[in-house]
Amino acid sequence: MLSSAARSRLAIVLVGARNPANIGAAARALHDFGFSDLRIANEFAPPLQAAQLEATQSASKSAVSAQHILSTARRFDTLLEAVADCTFIAGTTAIGERELTQPILPLEQAAPLILAALTMPGGPLMPQSLSGMGGEAESTQPRVALLFGSEKTGLTNEHLSHCSLLTTIPLFSPGAAAEGEKAARHLSMNLGQAVAVCLYELTRSGFEGQIDLPVQHEAPATEQDRERLTELLLEVMQSTGYTRRYPHNAAASFVRRLVQQLGRTHREAMTWMGILRQVTFRSTEESSASTAKPPRPPR
């Protein structure tokens, strides 16, 4: 479980992001998963400025509830400036047609390594003798950067050369490949979605202070419950004429097996018994009314 302090040391770096809506969507993902450090590596300021302006408008859709993330987002002219204070850098790539010389891990395998780099006391580069010390040691706390490329080109090989780890999000291959052939891989996913998927994977263990979903503890149905339910169901089948029309489905052993799926808990069994009693009552009532009705006189 990532603490708030650990989450504050993860920087999401958007390299060359152009679309203000995508920057806003990325900011919303940071907000939703409890992160706050958004950095833009782009020598042009307008995309971030437009995203910040849009977030202040009530009609904003991409950065809902993430105005504070965008207002504190920082822009750097170069990637090197954006990650200068980071001790560990992970890059995301859709691979595409490029030839990479670095190993790439699926996100599921890369996430534990990113978390280890983020939560290691003092950071991976800190000498063991300084661990646990205050003052100077605090400045060596690990800071991790997770890089995302632009919507058009992704991260270039130059960008990826700064990374200690490369990861990719497994995506569906739209073209069904013939046996023995490699299917064409979808090139990329939306920038905001990619940020959200990565942050979800990093926070799957939950958050401090979260409210756990209530667990329902219901008493299981007893064999006595199931047998009473079986008897009632057989009675309904008899009173409605089902037994006469479909005798092969009305054997007690077969009905008893059906009941195993109907009443798994005591409450479910009691509910079904109430329903069947009502059906029996209505069936008997209608049968009595039909018997009591005098026959029509002949014309």
Side-chain angles (χ1 to χ4, degrees):
M1 181 181 298
L2 276 179
S3 65
S4 58
R7 293 197 303 275
S8 70
R9 295 197 301 272
L10 177 71
I12 297 300
V13 184
L14 308 183
V15 184
R18 302 180 176 191
N19 190 327
N22 286 339
I23 297 175
R28 181 176 182 179
L30 267 77
H31 166 72
D32 288 344
F33 292 102
F35 297 88
S36 58
D37 191 354
L38 177 62
R39 307 181 185 188
I40 311 296
N42 192 335
E43 59 182 328
F44 300 106
L48 176 58
Q49 292 173 344
Q52 292 172 327
L53 178 61
E54 181 184 340
T56 62
Q57 301 173 358
S58 58
S60 174
K61 296 180 179 179
S62 60
V64 177
S65 302
Q67 294 88 343
H68 62 292
I69 303 292
L70 285 172
S71 65
T72 58
R74 291 177 286 170
R75 186 188 65 82
F76 301 85
D77 288 339
T78 65
L79 172 60
L80 185 58
E81 293 174 339
V83 299
D85 62 334
C86 296
T87 56
F88 186 90
I89 302 171
T92 59
T93 176
I95 306 174
E97 301 298 325
R98 76 177 69 196
E99 184 175 346
L100 298 172
T101 58
Q102 299 166 264
I104 302 176
L105 295 178
L107 179 59
E108 184 180 7
Q109 298 177 25
L113 300 178
I114 297 173
L115 292 174
L118 188 61
T119 58
M120 185 181 299
L125 303 181
M126 179 180 180
Q128 187 65 29
S129 60
L130 294 180
S131 62
M133 294 178 60
E136 297 178 62
E138 291 182 359
S139 64
T140 61
Q141 283 291 315
R143 184 170 294 279
V144 174
L146 184 55
L147 312 186
F148 296 85
S150 72
E151 301 89 338
K152 186 176 181 180
T153 62
L155 295 174
T156 66
N157 285 338
E158 173 65 23
H159 297 147
L160 296 176
S161 68
H162 291 276
C163 300
S164 307
L165 171 70
L166 299 186
T167 186
T168 187
I169 299 173
L171 296 175
F172 171 69
S173 298
E179 187 175 354
E181 296 181 6
K182 186 177 180 181
R185 189 177 190 271
H186 186 65
L187 290 181
S188 65
M189 69 189 307
N190 174 268
L191 177 59
Q193 292 176 339
V195 173
V197 169
C198 289
L199 295 183
Y200 166 74
E201 190 66 34
L202 293 175
T203 56
R204 288 179 65 178
S205 59
F207 304 91
E208 71 277 15
Q210 69 180 9
I211 300 176
D212 294 329
L213 296 176
V215 179
Q216 299 291 336
H217 296 288
E218 292 197 45
T222 64
E223 185 59 26
Q224 184 179 32
D225 293 333
R226 288 189 287 269
E227 193 59 28
R228 289 169 60 194
L229 184 53
T230 299
E231 293 173 359
L232 273 172
L233 187 52
L234 287 169
E235 184 179 339
V236 168
M237 294 167 72
Q238 180 69 37
S239 63
T240 57
Y242 185 91
T243 302
R244 184 177 64 258
R245 295 188 62 186
Y246 306 102
H248 56 286
N249 288 339
S253 58
F254 179 74
V255 174
R256 190 172 288 110
R257 288 196 299 273
L258 290 179
V259 167
Q260 295 286 343
Q261 303 175 41
L262 284 179
R264 297 185 183 276
T265 68
H266 176 72
R267 186 164 66 93
E268 289 178 0
M270 296 300 292
T271 301
W272 278 112
M273 280 188 257
I275 294 172
L276 293 175
R277 289 192 186 98
Q278 190 68 16
V279 171
T280 301
F281 173 76
R282 289 297 183 187
S283 177
T284 303
E285 192 177 55
E286 291 177 4
S287 177
S288 300
S290 177
T291 304
K293 189 175 182 180
R296 289 183 177 181
R299 292 183 179 182

